[in-house]
Amino acid sequence: MATTDGAPQGAAKQGAVAAGQRLDRILLPPNLVPHSPYAEADRSQAVADLLAENSFDPPGLPPGPYVLHLDIRENRLWLDIRDSADAALHAFALALSPFRGLIKDYLMVVESHELAVTQDSHDSRIQAIDMGRRGLHDEGAELLRERLAGRVSLDFGTARRLFTLVCALHSRA
């Protein structure tokens, strides 16, 4: 797995919640191929924002910070939660079927946004596409929070950033 933490280990993070109840690193599959440079930038920004500020509280596990390995295998989203030394703590899978429509729509809107920006479209068109993207992003974040209920408690911002990463992984599904 390739690290995508983008920050030195142990760096001070903003918005920390209860001591250690946060993600310190995110690891994605090494062979992840982005849809486009724009999608790669979106993924990189989501990781940077997530590591700068997040709330990640898996009940029943020792206090963090945590390392999260994310992957899609067997048509499921795999979340492998580990301690800061990368020792396994708990892993589980979520069915992707509830996310499929949102992911498909989100990726289409991101592609439309990229085309609008590269084709020098009017600001009003770009803003309208961006509003649609934010709405889908919010829906995806709420769905992710619902699906993780009882397994991991997340704030809304953390769920939004994780949904971006789920979309980035979708190309492998």
Side-chain angles (χ1 to χ4, degrees):
M1 296 262 168
T3 185
T4 57
D5 60 5
Q9 251 186 324
K13 308 279 197 270
Q14 299 175 13
V17 292
Q21 299 312 103
R22 56 174 289 100
L23 294 170
D24 192 42
R25 282 185 292 151
I26 305 284
L27 288 99
L28 302 171
N31 57 347
L32 185 62
V33 179
H35 297 285
S36 67
Y38 187 85
E40 173 60 24
D42 197 32
R43 178 179 74 184
S44 295
Q45 188 64 55
V47 169
D49 291 348
L50 185 60
L51 294 174
E53 184 175 354
N54 71 76
S55 170
F56 190 87
D57 187 5
L61 295 184
Y66 303 102
V67 175
L68 179 63
H69 293 246
L70 277 177
D71 199 357
I72 292 180
R73 289 182 266 151
E74 302 168 358
N75 250 353
R76 297 182 183 282
L77 174 65
W78 287 86
L79 294 95
D80 183 0
I81 304 168
R82 298 172 178 232
D83 66 17
S84 58
D86 209 30
L89 294 174
H90 183 65
F92 58 92
L94 296 177
L96 275 176
S97 54
F99 295 95
R100 289 232 185 257
L102 279 173
I103 291 170
K104 180 182 174 188
D105 292 347
Y106 180 78
L107 293 175
M108 284 190 324
V109 169
V110 166
E111 185 178 316
S112 295
H113 188 269
E114 180 179 5
L115 284 171
V117 169
T118 59
Q119 294 174 350
D120 253 353
S121 294
H122 295 288
D123 285 344
S124 59
R125 179 171 181 243
I126 293 170
Q127 289 173 355
I129 293 169
D130 199 42
M131 282 179 28
R133 181 174 146 277
R134 280 193 302 268
L136 289 168
H137 215 172
D138 290 349
E139 262 187 83
E142 284 300 330
L143 180 59
L144 188 58
R145 288 179 76 188
E146 288 171 20
R147 303 287 297 159
L148 289 173
R151 296 178 182 200
V152 177
S153 181
L154 308 170
D155 65 8
F156 187 72
T158 301
R160 284 185 102 245
R161 294 172 193 112
L162 282 174
F163 180 71
T164 300
L165 297 179
V166 170
C167 291
L169 289 170
H170 186 66
S171 65
R172 301 186 61 223

Short mmCIF file of all heavy atoms in Angstrom, two decimals, residues 38 110-122 125-126 129:
data_model
loop_
_atom_site.label_atom_id
_atom_site.label_comp_id
_atom_site.label_asym_id
_atom_site.label_seq_id
_atom_site.Cartn_x
_atom_site.Cartn_y
_atom_site.Cartn_z
N TYR A 38 -7.21 15.95 -13.05
CA TYR A 38 -8.16 16.66 -12.21
C TYR A 38 -8.63 15.75 -11.06
O TYR A 38 -8.70 16.18 -9.91
CB TYR A 38 -9.33 17.12 -13.06
CG TYR A 38 -10.33 18.01 -12.37
CD1 TYR A 38 -10.14 19.38 -12.30
CD2 TYR A 38 -11.50 17.48 -11.82
CE1 TYR A 38 -11.06 20.20 -11.68
CE2 TYR A 38 -12.42 18.29 -11.20
CZ TYR A 38 -12.20 19.66 -11.14
OH TYR A 38 -13.12 20.46 -10.51
N VAL A 110 -18.07 15.48 -11.79
CA VAL A 110 -16.66 15.90 -11.71
C VAL A 110 -16.08 16.03 -13.12
O VAL A 110 -15.38 16.99 -13.43
CB VAL A 110 -15.83 14.92 -10.84
CG1 VAL A 110 -14.34 15.14 -11.02
CG2 VAL A 110 -16.22 15.06 -9.38
N GLU A 111 -16.41 15.07 -13.98
CA GLU A 111 -15.94 15.13 -15.37
C GLU A 111 -16.52 16.35 -16.09
O GLU A 111 -15.80 17.06 -16.82
CB GLU A 111 -16.33 13.85 -16.11
CG GLU A 111 -15.78 13.77 -17.52
CD GLU A 111 -16.17 12.47 -18.19
OE1 GLU A 111 -16.07 11.41 -17.55
OE2 GLU A 111 -16.57 12.53 -19.38
N SER A 112 -17.79 16.64 -15.86
CA SER A 112 -18.42 17.83 -16.46
C SER A 112 -17.76 19.10 -15.96
O SER A 112 -17.55 20.05 -16.73
CB SER A 112 -19.92 17.87 -16.13
OG SER A 112 -20.58 16.80 -16.72
N HIS A 113 -17.44 19.13 -14.68
CA HIS A 113 -16.78 20.29 -14.10
C HIS A 113 -15.41 20.49 -14.74
O HIS A 113 -15.03 21.61 -15.11
CB HIS A 113 -16.67 20.12 -12.58
CG HIS A 113 -16.17 21.34 -11.88
ND1 HIS A 113 -14.83 21.55 -11.64
CD2 HIS A 113 -16.83 22.41 -11.38
CE1 HIS A 113 -14.69 22.70 -11.00
NE2 HIS A 113 -15.88 23.24 -10.83
N GLU A 114 -14.68 19.40 -14.89
CA GLU A 114 -13.36 19.47 -15.51
C GLU A 114 -13.46 19.99 -16.95
O GLU A 114 -12.69 20.86 -17.35
CB GLU A 114 -12.71 18.09 -15.49
CG GLU A 114 -11.33 18.06 -16.11
CD GLU A 114 -10.69 16.69 -16.08
OE1 GLU A 114 -11.35 15.72 -15.67
OE2 GLU A 114 -9.52 16.60 -16.50
N LEU A 115 -14.42 19.48 -17.71
CA LEU A 115 -14.61 19.94 -19.08
C LEU A 115 -14.98 21.42 -19.12
O LEU A 115 -14.48 22.18 -19.96
CB LEU A 115 -15.69 19.12 -19.79
CG LEU A 115 -15.29 17.73 -20.23
CD1 LEU A 115 -16.50 16.94 -20.72
CD2 LEU A 115 -14.23 17.79 -21.31
N ALA A 116 -15.86 21.83 -18.24
CA ALA A 116 -16.29 23.23 -18.20
C ALA A 116 -15.11 24.15 -17.89
O ALA A 116 -14.96 25.21 -18.51
CB ALA A 116 -17.40 23.42 -17.18
N VAL A 117 -14.26 23.74 -16.98
CA VAL A 117 -13.10 24.56 -16.62
C VAL A 117 -12.09 24.60 -17.77
O VAL A 117 -11.58 25.66 -18.12
CB VAL A 117 -12.44 24.03 -15.33
CG1 VAL A 117 -11.09 24.68 -15.08
CG2 VAL A 117 -13.36 24.25 -14.13
N THR A 118 -11.83 23.46 -18.39
CA THR A 118 -10.84 23.42 -19.47
C THR A 118 -11.34 24.06 -20.75
O THR A 118 -10.54 24.48 -21.59
CB THR A 118 -10.37 21.98 -19.76
OG1 THR A 118 -11.50 21.19 -20.12
CG2 THR A 118 -9.67 21.38 -18.56
N GLN A 119 -12.65 24.13 -20.93
CA GLN A 119 -13.22 24.74 -22.14
C GLN A 119 -13.57 26.22 -21.94
O GLN A 119 -14.25 26.81 -22.77
CB GLN A 119 -14.48 23.98 -22.59
CG GLN A 119 -14.19 22.58 -23.04
CD GLN A 119 -15.47 21.81 -23.34
OE1 GLN A 119 -16.58 22.26 -23.04
NE2 GLN A 119 -15.32 20.65 -23.94
N ASP A 120 -13.11 26.77 -20.83
CA ASP A 120 -13.36 28.19 -20.55
C ASP A 120 -14.85 28.53 -20.57
O ASP A 120 -15.27 29.53 -21.17
CB ASP A 120 -12.62 29.08 -21.55
CG ASP A 120 -11.43 29.78 -20.92
OD1 ASP A 120 -11.27 29.68 -19.70
OD2 ASP A 120 -10.69 30.43 -21.67
N SER A 121 -15.65 27.69 -19.96
CA SER A 121 -17.10 27.95 -19.90
C SER A 121 -17.39 29.15 -19.02
O SER A 121 -16.54 29.61 -18.25
CB SER A 121 -17.82 26.72 -19.34
OG SER A 121 -17.71 25.65 -20.23
N HIS A 122 -18.62 29.63 -19.11
CA HIS A 122 -19.05 30.76 -18.30
C HIS A 122 -19.01 30.37 -16.82
O HIS A 122 -19.29 29.23 -16.46
CB HIS A 122 -20.47 31.20 -18.67
CG HIS A 122 -20.56 31.73 -20.06
ND1 HIS A 122 -20.05 32.95 -20.43
CD2 HIS A 122 -21.10 31.20 -21.19
CE1 HIS A 122 -20.26 33.15 -21.71
NE2 HIS A 122 -20.90 32.10 -22.20
N ARG A 125 -22.07 28.54 -15.48
CA ARG A 125 -22.15 27.10 -15.76
C ARG A 125 -21.27 26.32 -14.79
O ARG A 125 -21.69 25.30 -14.25
CB ARG A 125 -21.72 26.82 -17.20
CG ARG A 125 -21.77 25.33 -17.52
CD ARG A 125 -21.57 25.05 -19.00
NE ARG A 125 -21.66 23.62 -19.22
CZ ARG A 125 -20.66 22.88 -19.67
NH1 ARG A 125 -19.50 23.42 -19.97
NH2 ARG A 125 -20.82 21.58 -19.82
N ILE A 126 -20.07 26.80 -14.55
CA ILE A 126 -19.15 26.13 -13.63
C ILE A 126 -19.73 26.13 -12.23
O ILE A 126 -19.69 25.11 -11.53
CB ILE A 126 -17.76 26.80 -13.67
CG1 ILE A 126 -17.11 26.58 -15.04
CG2 ILE A 126 -16.87 26.26 -12.55
CD1 ILE A 126 -15.85 27.39 -15.28
N ILE A 129 -22.58 23.54 -12.00
CA ILE A 129 -22.04 22.17 -11.93
C ILE A 129 -21.46 21.92 -10.54
O ILE A 129 -21.67 20.87 -9.95
CB ILE A 129 -20.97 21.95 -13.02
CG1 ILE A 129 -21.62 21.98 -14.41
CG2 ILE A 129 -20.24 20.63 -12.80
CD1 ILE A 129 -20.62 22.04 -15.56
#
